Amino acid sequence: RGHREGDLVSFLDMGLPDLLGQENFPIPPSIDQAFRLPGAATSKASKPNRKPFPRAILVKFRWLADRDRVMKAARKMKSLQLEENRLMFFPDLSAEIQQQRRMFNGVKSRLHNLDIEFGLQFPAKMRIYHKGKLLTFLTPSDVEAFIQKIETERSQTERSQTERDNYVSESS
């Protein structure tokens, strides 16, 4: 906010090290271009009591190493705020990789329902953290098989617990 499009590169040149920690940037990142994408903010923001949607800023770094340092520092920080705005950093992925990652959407909701921690790893691998182990899956069908196994284990555990509870109440 308050920065014209032409000033965006200079704002990011100075602001990224301050925001993400000077220790991560002994040399400031070299940015060739930066611009805000036009947002569809006007349609939903015009409704009362709704904040406008955030607009993405596309940044082209001169060096791949600079982009990687920014992404790594942002990942370490987890939650970033600038004034009252939450900032999120995402790599620009090709349409093909985005499609491969979208294929995991169905299993992601099921994993959420099972309270299982997971994440996507580049380019399109699913990492699942379960019982202290890190598991990696290459296809949604592999994740489906894992979910079936977990659901079966949980239902068997629930049945066993119910049987034990019934046995205790009958013997009392």
Side-chain angles (χ1 to χ4, degrees):
R1 276 189 188 216
H3 293 279
R4 291 183 320 217
E5 302 298 327
D7 294 342
L8 195 52
V9 171
S10 57
F11 170 73
L12 291 169
D13 273 336
M14 293 181 282
L16 282 175
D18 290 339
L19 182 66
L20 298 172
Q22 293 287 343
E23 68 278 3
N24 294 311
F25 301 97
I27 300 169
S30 295
I31 298 174
D32 283 341
Q33 294 178 329
F35 55 92
R36 290 182 68 161
L37 296 177
T42 53
S43 62
K44 299 229 175 169
S46 61
K47 295 181 181 176
N49 301 324
R50 288 229 176 138
K51 285 179 124 181
F53 282 94
R55 285 176 50 198
I57 297 174
L58 218 61
V59 179
K60 181 180 179 190
F61 291 93
R62 180 168 292 150
W63 307 110
L64 183 62
D66 286 342
R67 184 206 64 187
D68 292 344
R69 283 189 300 155
V70 167
M71 294 302 292
K72 184 177 180 180
R75 227 181 351 264
K76 278 197 287 187
M77 302 277 294
K78 296 198 179 180
S79 178
L80 291 166
Q81 293 279 128
L82 180 64
E83 297 169 4
E84 295 178 7
N85 302 305
R86 188 172 106 186
L87 299 179
M88 296 181 285
F89 291 78
F90 300 101
D92 189 22
L93 302 173
S94 70
E96 180 183 341
I97 290 175
Q98 287 178 13
Q99 179 59 35
Q100 290 172 356
R101 293 169 79 101
R102 253 187 242 115
M103 292 172 63
F104 286 98
N105 285 352
V107 294
K108 285 164 62 175
S109 60
R110 292 183 62 199
L111 290 167
H112 272 298
N113 292 339
L114 293 169
D115 290 325
I116 295 175
E117 192 177 335
F118 66 90
L120 287 176
Q121 185 179 13
F122 185 80
K125 299 177 194 171
M126 179 161 278
R127 296 176 74 172
I128 295 177
Y129 308 94
H130 184 66
K131 294 184 179 178
K133 292 182 183 173
L134 176 62
L135 308 166
T136 303
F137 298 93
L138 301 177
T139 66
S141 59
D142 292 342
V143 179
E144 283 284 348
F146 172 76
I147 290 172
Q148 290 289 2
K149 180 181 157 195
I150 297 301
E151 288 174 337
T152 302
E153 287 175 3
R154 287 187 180 180
S155 66
Q156 287 174 349
T157 302
E158 288 172 6
R159 253 187 263 127
S160 298
Q161 183 64 40
T162 303
E163 289 172 3
R164 271 182 274 173
D165 291 346
N166 290 340
Y167 177 76
V168 169
S169 63
E170 288 174 3
S171 57
S172 300

